Amino acid sequence: MRYGSHMLKEGVVRVSGQVKLREEYFGGIVFHKDTGDTIEVDREAYEMLICLQKTGTTNIRVLSRHKQTRSILSVLLDMNMIEYLPQEKPDISDCQFTSYQETLKENDMIRCNHLSAPETVHLAVTYRCGEHCPDCYARKHKSLTYYELGTAEMSGIIDSIADSGVFQLAVGGGEPFMRTDLGDIVSHADQKGLVVHITTGQYILKRQYLNVLNHIKSLHIGIRSEELIHDSVNTSAKLRMLTEHTCTAGIGIGANIIVTRFAIQNIDRLTELLLDCGFNRLIFLRYKPIADKVRWNNENPGADELKLFKNWLIRAKRKYPQIMLRVDCASAFLMQDTDLPTAVYSGIKGCSAGERIISVAPDGSVYPCSQYAGHNFSAGNLMTNTFESIWHESDLLNQYRNFRQNAAFTDGVCGRCGANQICGGCRVFAEDTVGSEPFCPME
């Protein structure tokens, strides 16, 4: 059976046990807990998945009978959202979409025109940090709050996040390992069913913190590119020990690389060193403004350098098939020539602030993005407001999730660009935070 450019082989399929489904106003979101991938599907496809999850298994031919869902089957199989069973497994069931349709929820949250909850919450458990990374943006947040929620208060916030249907909790800071109760925090999040990731700037984990790794899906390391290049022997030894700890714990490890001029100039060497240290994913982050304006001006890559980096990414996907290469949402301009169906399939959506992600500060304050913190960007506080009321009723979050309808956006460079549905620029660089960037980084 061939649909589109994909061939569907005969066999019995089921929804992967690592998949979580969440209903939305357009249909639903399919989330894979192992890969972190999400895909949005329409109502017919969502009903098919709910039915398949309920019945357990069915033959691929049964699903392909329905014209509305044929085109999505190969995508779901490619992303391991649904999977074939071994050949000896019998075809034991049939999916009847209409018989299960009435169990789908019908309420105000589903009828709203935004997601029922974020896909990911970024939780800064502290703004304290003992490192002095030259390109850290979080330093400027240290003076914003003098209060960190205790273990019980953090657990209460995690309860409200998990109960709302959020898939992932990205724990960071500051330096999260400065909290002696980090193990209790991530253990509670794990027990609540959240997929937990930690981002740290530490290359050496103290022995008492190794138990934290048992409760998370992946550990992301903020790489100091210049340190790795200039002191490769010592730095690699530390990183190699770190990857050994994660391998023992059975979790993934990723390298967060800020795309500075230095990083682009040394990208091949950086990649080879990180591969040699055992990293299986590289996440490239757009260089955001920092307090040191001289360094920012010296290290902020120009259009020609970004084009070199884009070409490198294309080559690297073929050269390093064993590793996962990703860029953050602020770097969506690198994918501006991607056609819309491919972008949707690949999860390229541009800025996700207030729409698919939110950030929670150490004192419980909620912001549309971890880059934006402070009174002017607060959508509320989880110690005084419910998670649901902040998510659904905050005027500030609505401004961010609807920035593409703002006149400052539509009349600007991003608004006039044909790729604004998969890019649209980054709100950090927009002059009024919800408008267009002054100029395209690639121009």
Side-chain angles (χ1 to χ4, degrees):
M1 295 177 287
R2 181 179 293 276
Y3 295 109
S5 60
H6 300 275
M7 178 69 73
L8 298 179
K9 66 178 183 179
E10 291 288 345
V12 177
V13 294
R14 65 185 173 193
V15 176
S16 168
Q18 297 302 309
V19 159
K20 294 180 72 173
L21 303 175
R22 193 178 80 194
E23 189 178 5
E24 299 294 346
Y25 66 95
F26 51 79
I29 294 178
V30 191
F31 169 71
H32 198 291
K33 292 187 285 186
D34 269 353
T35 63
D37 290 335
T38 60
I39 184 171
E40 297 177 359
V41 297
D42 61 22
R43 200 155 188 82
E44 290 79 11
Y46 182 75
E47 290 173 9
M48 174 193 73
L49 290 168
I50 285 288
C51 176
L52 182 56
Q53 195 173 63
K54 176 177 180 286
T55 56
T57 62
T58 196
N59 193 287
I60 193 73
R61 277 193 174 277
V62 175
L63 303 182
S64 62
R65 290 177 196 156
H66 301 264
K67 294 180 180 179
Q68 300 96 326
T69 58
R70 285 176 185 170
S71 60
I72 196 66
L73 285 175
S74 57
V75 175
L76 293 170
L77 284 163
D78 286 346
M79 298 179 73
N80 297 316
M81 301 298 190
I82 58 177
E83 58 190 12
Y84 285 100
L85 272 68
Q87 286 290 334
E88 63 270 16
K89 294 286 185 179
D91 178 15
I92 58 174
S93 59
D94 196 346
C95 259
Q96 300 297 327
F97 296 162
T98 55
S99 64
Y100 198 55
Q101 187 172 3
E102 66 246 16
T103 66
L104 294 174
K105 294 178 291 185
E106 288 292 345
N107 55 45
D108 291 338
M109 297 306 180
I110 298 304
R111 287 196 291 269
C112 68
N113 61 356
H114 61 262
L115 296 184
S116 61
E119 294 175 359
T120 303
V121 170
H122 294 244
L123 175 61
V125 292
T126 183
Y127 284 148
R128 292 177 288 141
C129 183
E131 301 289 343
H132 300 281
C133 304
D135 298 309
C136 176
Y137 69 85
R139 286 184 191 174
K140 58 189 177 184
H141 297 345
K142 289 183 179 180
S143 61
L144 298 176
T145 177
Y146 300 96
Y147 179 66
E148 292 177 6
L149 300 179
T151 310
E153 293 169 315
M154 280 288 180
S155 295
I157 282 179
I158 288 170
D159 288 343
S160 63
I161 291 171
D163 293 344
S164 73
V166 171
F167 299 126
Q168 302 186 96
L169 187 71
V171 177
E175 175 49 62
F177 283 98
M178 293 199 76
R179 285 197 63 137
T180 57
D181 62 348
L182 183 63
D184 296 325
I185 292 172
V186 298
S187 173
H188 185 75
D190 183 28
Q191 291 171 10
K192 291 291 294 185
L194 289 164
V195 174
V196 185
H197 311 275
I198 291 181
T199 297
T200 177
Q202 291 194 3
Y203 290 177
I204 300 176
L205 292 186
K206 296 179 181 178
R207 186 172 299 275
Q208 62 264 37
Y209 287 121
L210 293 180
N211 68 311
V212 170
L213 303 182
N214 297 326
H215 303 288
I216 66 175
K217 181 63 69 174
S218 65
L219 187 69
H220 295 175
I221 314 301
I223 299 298
R224 297 182 283 278
S225 298
E226 292 168 43
E227 181 180 332
L228 180 56
I229 292 294
H230 295 319
D231 189 16
S232 59
V233 174
N234 290 329
T235 304
S236 293
K238 297 175 187 177
L239 292 175
R240 197 170 291 112
M241 183 175 294
L242 198 55
T243 59
E244 289 174 3
H245 287 319
T246 60
C247 182
T248 300
I251 65 173
I253 187 165
N256 287 358
I257 304 168
I258 297 176
V259 184
T260 60
R261 280 178 172 157
F262 180 88
I264 294 174
Q265 292 165 1
N266 295 275
I267 191 67
D268 287 307
R269 178 62 176 156
L270 281 171
T271 302
E272 295 294 341
L273 285 169
L274 291 168
L275 275 173
D276 185 60
C277 289
F279 283 84
N280 55 22
R281 66 182 70 183
L282 305 183
I283 303 97
F284 296 97
L285 311 177
R286 184 175 177 184
Y287 194 31
K288 317 296 193 309
I290 56 175
D292 187 341
K293 293 184 179 179
V294 174
R295 180 174 174 83
W296 160 255
N297 289 330
N298 288 337
E299 285 296 324
N300 187 31
D304 290 341
E305 291 154 318
L306 289 171
K307 289 174 183 176
L308 288 174
F309 175 63
K310 177 180 179 178
N311 291 333
W312 178 86
L313 279 175
I314 296 171
R315 295 195 306 273
K317 288 181 179 179
R318 296 191 296 267
K319 185 176 181 180
Y320 307 109
Q322 73 274 35
I323 61 175
M324 180 185 296
L325 299 171
R326 287 188 173 176
V327 298
D328 67 346
C329 63
S331 306
F333 59 85
L334 294 167
M335 312 300 173
Q336 61 185 213
D337 54 355
T338 306
D339 62 272
L340 189 57
T342 301
V344 172
Y345 166 72
S346 304
I348 303 171
K349 306 179 180 76
C351 179
S352 300
E355 184 178 11
R356 290 174 174 82
I357 63 169
I358 58 169
S359 175
V360 179
D363 66 350
S365 296
V366 176
Y367 304 114
C369 169
S370 56
Q371 292 286 329
Y372 279 120
H375 177 71
N376 292 339
F377 305 108
S378 176
N381 190 292
L382 290 173
M383 298 306 295
T384 55
N385 308 102
T386 67
F387 189 92
E388 288 76 12
S389 65
I390 291 175
W391 179 251
H392 292 290
E393 300 170 15
S394 167
D395 291 336
L396 182 131
L397 291 184
N398 278 320
Q399 288 178 28
Y400 278 84
R401 60 173 63 113
N402 296 313
F403 73 87
R404 286 182 175 85
Q405 283 73 55
N406 189 295
F409 177 85
T410 57
D411 295 340
V413 172
C414 294
R416 295 191 294 270
C417 176
N420 62 40
Q421 291 304 307
I422 63 173
C423 179
C426 173
R427 311 281 62 76
V428 172
F429 296 89
E431 293 179 356
D432 61 353
T433 74
V434 289
S436 170
E437 287 198 33
F439 56 88
C440 179
M442 297 296 286
E443 298 298 330

